[in-house]
Amino acid sequence: MTLGMALAGTWFGFANPFLHLPLAILLLPAALVLAANRAETPGQAFRMGMLTALPGYAASLYWLVIPVHDHGSLPWALALPCPVLVGGVLAAYGGIYCLGIYLLGDKGRHPLALVFSGLLWATLELARNHLLTGFPWLTLASAFSPWSQTLGLAAWCGAFGLSGLLAGMGHALVLRGWRRLLVLPMIGLCVLPAWITSSAPAPATASVAMVQGNIEQGQKWDETLQTTILQTYVELSRQAVSSFKSDLLVWPETALPFYLQDPGDLSSAMRIAVAELGTPVLAGSPAYSMPLGKNEPRYVLHNRAYLLGPNGEIQAWYDKEHLVPFGEYVPLGQWLPFLTKLVPGEYEFRPGQNSAPLRSGDMAVGTLICYEAIFPELAQKQVELGANVLVNISNDAWFGRTSAPLQHLHLTILRAVEQNRAIIRCTNTGVSTFIDPDGRLRDRSELFTTDILHRTDIPLLTQKTFYHEHFLFIHWCYPFLTLGLLVVLRRRGPNTSA
């Protein structure tokens, strides 16, 4: 029963190819609480929790097979287990959650146990954000991203705190009698910010256009197609500026499949085209640098976003800080030489060091490249450095027509709410969209289509959220309050939960 609950809740709760039911995600923590109540030892609680969560996580990560097999050249025998292996990592946190509920014993029916349950879940998602290079995918709060009116609490306690509230709601659903009604004030707390928050007009706005080139992954790095790909983006941009007056044009991650920093025909053509457009362009491109250390490789690569001014000259750039393991570099590569990365090239990527927002007119653009949008601390850093708008450029062509692009989008939406910043999300094959600071989507592209999106009223905001102002304090509160509540509940008398 618990396994079926968790599987259905995880599969339908997160984006999937068939039917997305956000409320279903509450079945995942509910199933783990039931498993904890049936366990007889701590070890059994952990194992039952992990086995309960594993099928749902593995099923929701089915799309991992596509980039690993189709683009990483691994045989099916090695590609097919990948969702189970990565799902097993996420399920291990489910096992720890189940163990934590087990340790409450009969205090698991006390109202304070629901607070403990939520804090424990928030702590585990926070840990998952950092451990083993970090993989905060399939967080509970992201399931609710299509319902922007339920996300306001993320501006106060972050997405991990909102996930904790959802876990507490799932816990409440399996309690008996009147205690089950405790879910009602939790629902009220979830939607309260949307009722009481009034959006003040932005002090300034910007007009932004983005182009979705829809370049197939198999063609993207074909050197014979470099000119064709550049022409595709230039022509789309000409259509955009002929129809709309824009302060900025945005192209996706690695839209330029060549080294813009090198002199040559392609780089010259890009600069001339931007000058003809007369509009600043933010575009992704591979880049490289040459380390000076004795034992350093001759070249290291960077995943870069260039800002070109209206005269076509490079004004600034941002290099991706948080790289994708096995996509842009191989962890422990010196000991695991048989593993290859998915991105073609002789050299591995290195994180960038220049984090400052890219400035163009009134816009201070905080850049998040692809995978970086799933990490709260990176959006936090950009806003702290002065970003009044965020841009997420990405290439989700790796994932094909799966649920991964939507799961990625749903995580990105949370960054907008946490930081009170609009997000301009431009992708190669979709989903491209404008995200309001409250999490609402304004226009969006379809998967694997060529498209131009434009908006004239992108808010440029400077006001910071409570979550931003107390970022570290809030994150430290989760583990310390979890431990404190565990001690308090275990010391209470046997009749306090009656």
Side-chain angles (χ1 to χ4, degrees):
M1 175 183 172
T2 56
L3 190 151
M5 281 179 59
L7 175 59
T10 309
W11 176 256
F12 290 108
F14 294 117
N16 64 81
F18 305 109
L19 179 64
H20 182 193
L21 303 171
L23 277 173
I25 200 60
L26 301 182
L27 294 176
L28 174 58
L32 293 173
V33 171
L34 290 175
N37 292 339
R38 295 171 183 173
E40 297 181 357
T41 65
Q44 186 182 38
F46 174 79
R47 291 191 298 272
M48 289 178 64
M50 186 170 179
L51 293 175
T52 297
L54 177 58
Y57 280 132
S60 298
L61 294 170
Y62 73 95
W63 49 264
L64 282 170
V65 173
I66 293 176
V68 170
H69 175 267
D70 292 359
H71 306 296
S73 301
L74 283 184
W76 284 112
L78 295 178
L80 289 174
C82 286
V84 178
L85 294 175
V86 179
V89 175
L90 304 190
Y93 291 95
I96 298 172
Y97 174 79
C98 191
L99 171 61
I101 301 301
Y102 168 84
L103 292 176
L104 293 179
D106 62 354
K107 313 304 189 304
R109 299 187 299 274
H110 193 279
L112 276 180
L114 303 185
V115 181
F116 168 80
S117 180
L119 287 169
L120 176 59
W121 194 282
T123 299
L124 293 172
E125 285 198 358
L126 177 62
R128 185 148 63 89
N129 185 72
H130 295 286
L131 298 180
L132 301 176
T133 79
F135 189 63
W137 203 274
L138 300 182
T139 58
L140 286 192
S142 68
F144 276 68
S145 287
W147 295 350
S148 60
Q149 64 272 24
T150 66
L151 303 179
L153 204 62
W156 295 87
C157 61
F160 300 145
L162 178 56
S163 291
L165 178 64
L166 297 176
M169 292 168 62
H171 189 156
L173 290 176
V174 301
L175 298 180
R176 297 180 179 178
W178 66 269
R179 297 180 185 84
R180 189 172 296 174
L181 297 178
L182 292 172
V183 74
L184 297 178
M186 299 173 108
I187 294 174
L189 185 60
C190 187
V191 298
L192 181 63
W195 293 343
I196 65 175
T197 301
S198 58
S199 56
T205 59
S207 178
V208 177
M210 67 174 106
V211 292
Q212 180 171 299
N214 192 30
I215 308 299
E216 293 183 16
Q217 191 60 31
Q219 299 178 348
K220 192 172 183 64
W221 300 108
D222 186 338
E223 293 185 3
T224 64
L225 298 176
Q226 289 175 327
T227 300
T228 301
I229 292 172
L230 176 59
Q231 289 174 343
T232 296
Y233 281 104
V234 170
E235 181 55 36
L236 288 170
S237 297
R238 285 179 179 145
Q239 295 177 34
V241 298
S242 67
S243 303
F244 320 104
K245 178 176 173 52
S246 299
D247 300 308
L248 181 68
L249 275 166
V250 182
W251 296 7
E253 177 189 17
T254 59
L256 306 176
F258 55 88
Y259 294 107
L260 182 63
Q261 69 195 90
D262 284 346
D265 293 342
L266 289 169
S267 297
S268 296
M270 176 63 181
R271 289 180 171 87
I272 292 171
V274 174
E276 291 175 348
L277 293 169
T279 303
V281 173
L282 189 152
S285 169
Y288 65 88
S289 59
M290 293 176 284
L292 300 177
K294 289 184 178 180
N295 298 320
E296 294 282 359
R298 184 179 179 185
Y299 297 103
V300 295
L301 302 180
H302 305 287
N303 190 339
R304 180 168 292 179
Y306 284 103
L307 176 63
L308 288 80
N311 61 356
E313 295 302 315
I314 296 173
Q315 290 187 343
W317 66 77
Y318 166 82
D319 288 337
K320 188 176 183 181
E321 297 180 58
H322 197 121
L323 302 177
V324 181
F326 304 106
E328 292 165 319
Y329 75 103
V330 179
L332 305 177
Q334 60 269 43
W335 292 288
L336 303 172
F338 57 90
L339 291 177
T340 59
K341 59 188 177 70
L342 302 181
V343 176
E346 180 181 355
Y347 301 101
E348 285 197 352
F349 285 77
R350 288 237 181 132
Q353 304 297 323
N354 50 329
S355 302
L358 308 179
R359 297 187 178 272
S360 178
D362 293 333
M363 302 180 71
V365 179
T367 309
L368 303 170
I369 298 179
C370 189
Y371 188 63
E372 291 186 314
I374 75 174
F375 294 96
E377 66 273 15
L378 296 180
Q380 169 83 10
K381 184 177 182 179
Q382 289 294 325
V383 172
E384 186 64 24
L385 291 172
N388 56 18
V389 65
L390 298 174
V391 168
N392 175 220
I393 58 174
S394 187
N395 173 32
D396 289 354
W398 298 97
F399 309 124
R401 295 182 180 276
T402 69
S403 52
L406 278 177
Q407 291 174 5
H408 192 187
L409 169 63
H410 292 166
L411 288 160
T412 306
I413 289 171
L414 296 172
R415 306 291 84 81
V417 181
E418 287 175 337
Q419 300 297 330
N420 186 41
R421 293 294 184 271
I423 297 182
I424 303 158
R425 187 171 195 266
C426 182
T427 68
N428 172 28
T429 56
V431 178
S432 301
T433 186
F434 296 102
I435 307 172
D436 274 351
D438 62 2
R440 287 180 296 172
L441 301 185
R442 299 298 182 93
D443 300 328
R444 55 174 286 178
S445 67
E446 298 299 325
L447 286 176
F448 292 95
T449 58
T450 302
D451 209 345
I452 301 170
L453 285 78
H454 182 260
R455 188 174 167 194
T456 60
D457 58 345
I458 300 292
L460 305 179
L461 300 172
T462 56
Q463 183 180 3
K464 297 175 181 177
T465 62
F466 181 88
Y467 174 69
H468 177 94
E469 296 283 11
H470 303 88
F471 183 81
L472 290 177
F473 175 76
I474 290 171
H475 282 191
W476 277 110
C477 278
Y478 292 145
F480 281 108
L481 290 178
T482 300
L483 290 173
L485 264 181
L486 179 62
V487 171
V488 168
L489 286 167
R490 285 180 63 85
R491 285 183 176 179
R492 294 183 72 89
N495 296 322
T496 56
S497 63

